[in-house]
Amino acid sequence: MLFGALEAGGTKMVVAIGDGNGKILDRKSIPTTTPEETMPLIEEYFREWNQNKDHEIKALGVACFGPIDLDRNSDTYGYITSTPKTAWKNYNIVGELKDKLGIPVGFDTDVNGSLLGEATWGCARGLTDAIYLTIGTGIGGGVMSNGKLLHGMLHPELGHIRIGKLSSDPGECVCPYHKDCFEGLAAGPSIEKRWGKKGVELKDEAKVWELEAEYIGIALTDFVMTLSPQKIILGGGVMHQEQLFPMIRQAFEKYNAGYINADRLKYLDEYIVPASLNDDQGIMGAIKLAIDELDYQSHIGL
Ligand code: ADP
Ligand code: ZN
């Protein structure tokens, strides 16, 4: 059986076709401009694919930038809500796709999607509790708790926890909402503002990554204390600086200060890890969202 997948990002939309094993058979990237321009191109991709009855997709999964409404009982379920990307504010993306394609549509955050991909086919397989953090243009986190993706009232926003500026930091928090939050101090744009160059051009500047690892280490300590994950997966553009991994593990050890003393923390190189699916974790997670939605709908008898 085949499934459609959409990884909806602020700059591009990745559409793909996958099978029940997460194998990607086809994919395409479409720029994110306005719903009026972008959505018809997405719909056309899936419609064209469906013209051949032999490889028709049975459901679609959408892993979406946010904030989004994930509450199935809400009037605005399936909407992108208060996003700073104004063209997409209060946009009913799930309704539009269901309406135009006539198939079940699964929906979750982009980061929960990536975590689901890792939990199904990647390095979080077999775990019940894990975190996927992306450190890129922003910082977002997906959380799996007791085997389920965590939504709560809305969905977690791990990038906006307050962590406090370090005295060694010559820069400032760039989040428009918060004074000292994780994203505002440690995402790509804050690195660029603080040091005057893009992260990719700062590879050999030790002080850049020492400060970055401190901030990430502090945040991960908070997440371990509050969510008790069995593994933490780090993805996103900034994490392409692979030298960060050992530095982050060291910072985590410093801030944990021996307080949490679980077996998994004895092997930090297996506890704080890079994403394992060649940057396909998001689109593979969207395939799993489609599989799960079909399952859900058949259980509730739709
Ligand atoms: P997005 O978050 O928009 O989906 P990315 O995860 O690629 O996209 O993140 C983009 C951010 O990551 C930018 O701020 C960019 O400067 C930074 N970045 C991308 N590649 C690298 C790199 N190799 N090293 C450091 N920073 C990087
Ligand atoms: Zn913030």
Side-chain angles (χ1 to χ4, degrees):
M1 197 182 287
L2 296 184
F3 300 91
L6 166 60
E7 191 182 9
T11 49
K12 67 177 195 295
M13 301 279 186
V14 179
V15 285
I17 307 295
D19 69 11
N21 298 315
K23 186 169 170 223
I24 297 163
L25 308 176
D26 188 62
R27 80 167 81 204
K28 187 178 170 181
S29 178
I30 295 166
T32 307
T33 57
T34 61
E36 293 73 28
E37 234 172 51
T38 306
M39 295 307 290
L41 299 176
I42 293 172
E43 287 150 14
E44 190 182 287
Y45 173 81
F46 292 118
R47 237 190 263 119
E48 268 180 20
W49 186 269
N50 268 3
Q51 272 170 7
N52 183 341
K53 292 285 169 213
D54 290 342
H55 59 216
E56 212 174 7
I57 57 170
K58 297 293 182 209
L60 172 66
V62 182
C64 191
F65 71 93
I68 59 179
D69 188 346
L70 294 171
D71 177 0
R72 287 188 191 264
N73 296 317
S74 155
D75 289 344
T76 51
Y77 169 73
Y79 280 56
I80 298 169
T81 58
S82 56
T83 175
K85 292 199 72 79
T86 48
W88 296 84
K89 214 171 183 157
N90 302 320
Y91 180 68
N92 183 3
I93 187 166
V94 170
E96 163 72 18
L97 290 164
K98 258 192 195 158
D99 195 38
K100 296 283 162 53
L101 299 172
I103 52 175
V105 178
F107 190 49
D108 216 314
T109 60
D110 45 7
V111 276
N112 265 352
S114 292
L115 178 55
L116 184 61
E118 292 285 355
T120 312
W121 293 296
C123 68
R125 236 176 317 177
L127 302 182
T128 55
D129 293 78
I131 292 176
Y132 179 95
L133 208 63
T134 180
I135 305 180
T137 306
I139 298 182
V143 180
M144 179 169 277
S145 183
N146 282 340
K148 287 182 77 172
L149 294 173
L150 186 63
H151 292 166
M153 174 184 69
L154 178 74
H155 47 75
E157 283 284 356
L158 300 189
H160 293 272
I161 59 162
R162 183 181 170 99
I163 51 177
K165 204 174 94 164
L166 290 169
S167 56
S168 58
D169 185 350
E172 59 190 60
C173 178
V174 300
C175 175
Y177 292 90
H178 307 119
K179 204 166 169 293
D180 280 339
C181 79
F182 183 26
E183 174 173 304
L185 292 167
S190 76
I191 298 175
E192 191 174 339
K193 175 103 189 287
R194 179 186 295 115
W195 306 108
K197 280 185 190 166
K198 283 190 181 306
V200 70
E201 297 162 39
L202 292 162
K203 188 166 180 27
D204 299 325
E205 297 286 336
K207 63 180 187 298
V208 170
W209 308 111
E210 275 158 24
L211 183 64
E212 183 69 10
E214 283 285 299
Y215 282 135
I216 299 172
I218 293 169
L220 296 195
T221 308
D222 286 0
F223 301 149
V224 171
M225 300 296 171
T226 50
L227 297 163
S228 207
Q230 296 157 319
K231 196 180 277 279
I232 298 175
I233 305 160
L234 301 177
V238 172
M239 293 313 304
H240 288 142
Q241 298 290 329
E242 286 173 16
Q243 74 278 20
L244 274 172
F245 280 91
M247 297 166 80
I248 291 167
R249 293 180 190 120
Q250 214 176 3
F252 169 77
E253 267 190 316
K254 181 171 90 180
Y255 289 103
N256 178 41
Y259 180 71
I260 296 203
N261 189 15
D263 276 352
R264 287 184 191 273
L265 300 190
K266 294 196 181 101
Y267 311 98
L268 280 185
D269 52 349
E270 291 169 28
Y271 186 71
I272 298 171
V273 297
S276 72
L277 295 170
N278 294 320
D279 278 338
D280 280 345
Q281 57 274 10
I283 200 72
M284 290 172 78
I287 296 171
K288 185 65 163 70
L289 286 174
I291 296 171
D292 289 352
E293 185 66 16
L294 197 61
D295 203 37
Y296 172 82
Q297 303 234 342
S298 66
H299 274 94
I300 59 167
L302 286 177

